[in-house]
Amino acid sequence: MASMRDIKRRRNSIASTQQITKAMKLVSTVKLQKTKARAERSKPYFDKMYEVVTSMLAKSGTIEHPYLKPQASAKKAVVLITSNRGLAGGYNSNVIKLITGSDMKREDLLLFTVGNKGKEYFSRRDYTIAKEYPEVIENPMLADAREICAEVLELYAKGEVGEIYVAYTYFKNTVVHEPTLLKLLPVEVDPSDIEAARSNSLMNYEPKEEEALDLIIPKYITSILYGALVESVASENGARMQAMDSATSNADEMIDKLTLQYNRARQGSITQELTEIIAGANATNER
């Protein structure tokens, strides 16, 4: 059995750690309120953007445009959004599993990593990191999404990659965050939507369809990427808040158990001392 000193030392150590987890929970809670409001304000626009663009392309017929035609390359560009820090439960590992658990081959992937955790994981496993953006996740801006969009679209237009994806965490609410792998290009349109569109009327563009799509597709990609960044930040803070709350509760349980052990050990020590005193007194009386 551990000594009273060892139990007390361990209990004090856990109490110190608990103070840190409480502080981190408070910080994450404050950050969550800000990032949650930002994500909720942005969500309707970006959801509608995705819906409108896919609907529009379903009604566009067969348009020859570099951003729309399938590319021969088997390479896939994936914008992977993780955090710069850990202690957020399964937040980072769940996003990483979207890649490792898919049928995508390592040699076919070009990763554009936002956040250090994803970059560190995949660089250790010899995946190709095309570009990294560690600072973007701290405070995502529309300009950041526009920069990433320009990088991946250029590769797609040149035929160096055949598909573009974004792997991020969808912010459903404070406690539910869903890892999501979304295909951005080529845009996936339901065949039934295409047939329905052809039976009615096709989309007309003004000015020319090529000029219009040169503006629409980059804006579409930028919008989706920015929405993914904002939702990922909110999800990260929500996940960290839950993880620190769980750690604080676990520390409470451990402190209670150690306090009980300490009291039992103290009681045993007192009992032993009393027994020795009584035994000594009896020995003296017998003399």
Side-chain angles (χ1 to χ4, degrees):
M1 184 175 179
S3 66
M4 291 172 57
R5 179 180 296 178
D6 291 337
I7 295 172
K8 189 174 182 180
R9 185 184 296 116
R10 189 180 177 196
R11 187 179 62 181
N12 291 340
S13 175
I14 293 173
S16 298
T17 303
Q18 186 185 46
Q19 291 179 350
I20 297 172
T21 60
K22 280 183 178 179
M24 291 183 68
K25 177 189 172 184
L26 289 174
V27 171
S28 297
T29 302
V30 173
K31 287 184 176 181
L32 175 62
Q33 297 308 313
K34 296 179 180 179
T35 54
K36 176 185 176 183
R38 188 179 182 186
E40 289 176 344
R41 287 196 306 268
S42 305
K43 189 185 296 289
Y45 172 77
F46 300 113
D47 288 347
K48 199 65 179 178
M49 170 67 80
Y50 185 80
E51 178 186 335
V52 168
V53 170
T54 53
S55 174
M56 180 193 70
L57 295 177
K59 300 175 183 178
S60 297
T62 55
I63 297 177
E64 287 295 325
H65 190 278
Y67 292 157
L68 299 182
K69 66 181 181 181
Q71 303 292 343
S73 175
K75 296 283 186 181
K76 298 173 178 61
V78 180
V79 180
L80 175 67
I81 304 175
T82 57
S83 68
N84 282 336
R85 292 173 291 277
L87 298 177
Y91 170 76
N92 291 306
S93 60
N94 289 337
V95 181
I96 288 171
K97 286 176 185 176
L98 292 174
I99 308 299
T100 58
S102 71
D103 58 357
M104 297 179 180
K105 297 179 180 179
R106 179 174 59 181
E107 58 271 18
D108 291 337
L109 287 177
L110 293 178
L111 297 177
F112 293 77
T113 58
V114 179
N116 283 323
K117 289 300 179 180
K119 186 262 295 184
E120 291 170 359
Y121 180 91
F122 285 106
S123 60
R124 287 197 300 266
R125 288 158 179 79
D126 296 326
Y127 281 75
T128 302
I129 309 296
K131 197 162 184 179
E132 55 190 81
Y133 308 87
E135 71 288 342
V136 167
I137 200 63
E138 298 299 331
N139 184 29
M141 304 296 290
L142 188 61
D144 299 320
R146 193 176 292 120
E147 178 186 350
I148 299 171
C149 170
E151 295 278 353
V152 295
L153 270 184
E154 183 180 1
L155 294 177
Y156 188 86
K158 290 179 178 178
E160 295 181 21
V161 298
E163 297 175 353
I164 299 175
Y165 293 84
V166 58
Y168 72 105
T169 305
Y170 176 77
F171 182 81
K172 192 169 185 178
N173 54 51
T174 302
V175 296
V176 180
H177 322 113
E178 299 176 353
T180 303
L181 183 64
L182 182 63
K183 188 175 184 179
L184 301 181
L185 281 183
V187 177
E188 291 188 336
V189 181
D190 193 314
S192 61
D193 293 339
I194 297 177
E195 292 301 322
R198 287 175 178 171
S199 63
N200 296 314
S201 59
L202 293 177
M203 180 73 67
N204 292 320
Y205 290 91
E206 183 64 34
K208 293 181 179 181
E209 55 194 29
E210 289 81 3
E211 295 178 29
L213 290 172
D214 279 339
L215 296 173
I216 293 171
I217 298 300
K219 186 176 287 292
Y220 151 73
I221 300 290
T222 298
S223 298
I224 300 301
L225 288 177
Y226 179 67
L229 288 168
V230 170
E231 293 199 14
S232 292
V233 173
S235 298
E236 177 194 346
N237 287 305
R240 183 169 288 112
M241 183 190 73
Q242 291 181 67
M244 292 303 100
D245 181 63
S246 178
T248 301
S249 299
N250 291 339
D252 274 331
E253 293 179 7
M254 293 179 70
I255 289 172
D256 289 343
K257 288 180 181 179
L258 289 171
T259 300
L260 183 60
Q261 289 181 22
Y262 179 82
N263 290 338
R264 285 175 176 171
R266 185 167 177 270
Q267 184 179 12
S269 176
I270 293 172
T271 301
Q272 184 177 355
E273 289 178 4
L274 288 174
T275 302
E276 291 175 354
I277 291 172
I278 293 170
N282 290 335
T284 302
N285 291 334
E286 289 175 358
R287 290 176 187 174

